[in-house]
């Protein structure tokens, strides 16, 4: 464990990047990507939130069926809630100019595991269905607490999972 390191997480390459902020080479700060197998987890601390990331793959857990990479672990109890932070590169072509502008589109993917493996959260209906025999209770909980799954933040999804866990 190392404390007080300045790390960045590149959502396009799925790499943790360390900046040598004490050294400068040609007015640039050298950056090094950390080996995924040596950096099995890391935390990114912000003023109002700390994001805990863990490298998950079929190699580290044979039951893990999603593509290997860093996932933010939001909730890890009887149920699990993880987020794959990712960016896709896209190109904007200017019709009047002969150049293209490359940019990145941030597109996080949220997954929950209620006991049957990780499922992507795609809709309210699909989310509720993933709770099996407790679906009606989850639907009522969402309605009572005015939680809209497509707009829900991490805290709201975690509240639903904790409610589900206490139903047993």
């Amino acid at each position: 464990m190392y404390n007080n390191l300045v790390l960045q997480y590149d959502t396009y390459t799925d790499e943790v990047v360390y900046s040598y902020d004490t050294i400068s080479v040609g007015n640039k700060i050298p950056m090094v990507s950390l080996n995924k197998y040596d950096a099995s987890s890391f935390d990114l601390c912000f003023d109002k939130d700390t994001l805990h990331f863990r490298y998950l793959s079929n190699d580290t857990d044979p039951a893990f069926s999603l593509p290997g990479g860093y996932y933010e672990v939001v909730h890890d109890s009887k149920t699990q809630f993880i987020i794959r932070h990712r960016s896709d590169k896209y190109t904007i072509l200017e019709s009047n100019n002969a150049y293209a502008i490359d940019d990145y589109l941030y597109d996080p993917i949220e997954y929950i595991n209620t006991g049957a493996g990780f499922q992507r959260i795609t809709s309210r209906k699909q989310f509720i269905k993933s709770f099996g025999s407790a679906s009606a209770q989850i639907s009522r909980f969402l309605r009572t607490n005015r939680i809209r799954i497509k707009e829900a933040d991490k805290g709201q999804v975690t509240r639903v999972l904790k409610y589900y866990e206490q139903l047993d």
Side-chain angles (χ1 to χ4, degrees):
M1 178 185 292
Y2 299 95
N3 293 317
N4 300 320
L5 292 179
V6 178
L7 297 177
Q8 297 176 39
Y9 173 57
D10 187 326
T11 58
Y12 179 67
T13 61
D14 191 34
E15 294 178 331
V16 181
V17 179
Y18 172 69
S19 302
Y20 286 100
D21 56 357
T22 57
I23 303 171
S24 146
V25 178
N27 292 332
K28 293 184 181 181
I29 297 174
M31 301 172 98
V32 175
S33 295
L34 304 180
N35 186 330
K36 291 178 184 181
Y37 299 106
D38 291 337
S40 59
S41 68
F42 64 94
D43 293 332
L44 294 179
C45 302
F46 300 97
D47 289 338
K48 297 185 182 196
D49 197 8
T50 297
L51 309 180
H52 177 70
F53 286 82
R54 192 179 315 154
Y55 186 80
L56 302 172
S57 73
N58 188 265
D59 294 336
T60 60
D61 179 3
F64 190 75
S65 61
L66 300 174
Y70 287 109
Y71 290 82
E72 178 187 358
V73 179
V74 180
H75 182 72
D76 192 10
S77 187
K78 287 183 192 176
T79 59
Q80 298 168 305
F81 176 32
I82 60 175
I83 302 173
R84 178 69 181 251
H85 295 273
R86 68 182 192 136
S87 297
D88 290 323
K89 189 174 184 180
Y90 69 96
T91 303
I92 301 171
L93 297 174
E94 295 289 331
S95 59
N96 297 334
N97 299 321
Y99 65 90
I101 300 171
D102 289 329
D103 207 351
Y104 296 90
L105 178 66
Y106 175 67
D107 183 29
I109 303 174
E110 299 177 335
Y111 299 92
I112 60 168
N113 181 357
T114 58
F118 283 101
Q119 298 177 3
R120 183 177 179 170
I121 300 174
T122 57
S123 68
R124 181 182 195 278
K125 183 178 178 180
Q126 174 271 332
F127 181 79
I128 292 170
K129 187 178 175 183
S130 67
F131 292 94
S133 61
S135 293
Q137 292 164 295
I138 296 299
S139 181
R140 245 185 330 276
F141 183 82
L142 292 174
R143 202 170 31 258
T144 302
N145 292 279
R146 297 182 180 175
I147 297 174
R148 294 185 173 167
I149 287 302
K150 292 297 267 182
E151 301 167 5
D153 63 23
K154 295 185 296 188
Q156 291 172 315
V157 174
T158 301
R159 275 182 56 208
V160 175
L161 294 176
K162 287 180 178 179
Y163 172 74
Y164 172 71
E165 291 171 357
Q166 63 92 24
L167 290 176
D168 293 337

